[in-house]
Amino acid sequence: MSWQAYVDEHLMCDIDGQGQHLAAAAIIGHDGSVWAQSSNFPQFKAEEISDIMKDFEEPGHLAPTGLHLGGTKYMVIQGEAGAVIRGKKGSGGVTIKKTSQALVFGVYEEPVTPGQCNMVVERLGDYLVDQGL
């Protein structure tokens, strides 16, 4: 399966058959290279990915400054140290799951809930981890 198919079929899929889906999604290598992304995924800067990677190595690194993605600042909320970072901005937010080679991103807006976004992103991330990716 191509990386783009993972984004299109697993990350941007219908959630709970309700016709809701993530606002944007991507799979990005640890080095910041884009493996696949939805058409509306924000244009991010290399430093933003570096900061996210640093937070996985040193949990709490992003807390004082916030998580930035495509110039949008998210407040960092509870995640799983070294595995998942979650950010919130208004009624939307972002979930990032780290695998051994990549970062799986999901960006959501209402009516999608944080829990739904976490489930979609982390389910694919866990699958990739199981595959050694």
Side-chain angles (χ1 to χ4, degrees), residues 102-132:
L103 300 173
V104 181
F105 286 79
V107 179
Y108 68 92
E109 296 291 343
E110 278 188 331
V112 175
T113 67
Q116 289 171 316
C117 180
N118 295 344
M119 182 191 69
V120 169
V121 171
E122 293 173 37
R123 188 171 53 198
L124 178 62
D126 289 342
Y127 170 78
L128 295 176
V129 167
D130 289 346
Q131 301 303 304

Side-chain angles (χ1 to χ4, degrees), residues 31-107:
D31 61 358
S33 60
V34 175
W35 294 11
Q37 64 184 15
S38 61
S39 59
N40 54 352
F41 192 76
Q43 184 64 48
F44 59 86
K45 299 184 187 83
E47 313 87 76
E48 293 173 332
I49 301 302
S50 302
D51 277 345
I52 290 166
M53 287 300 297
K54 185 167 172 115
D55 195 80
F56 279 117
E57 293 156 25
E58 300 170 26
H61 168 72
L62 290 174
T65 57
L67 182 159
H68 292 80
L69 184 64
T72 300
K73 180 178 177 179
Y74 296 89
M75 183 176 68
V76 178
I77 54 176
Q78 175 228 342
E80 288 170 48
V84 180
I85 297 173
R86 298 186 182 109
K88 183 119 179 77
K89 178 178 174 60
S91 59
V94 61
T95 301
I96 308 164
K97 169 76 178 181
K98 182 177 183 260
T99 72
S100 57
Q101 297 176 24
L103 300 173
V104 181
F105 286 79
V107 179

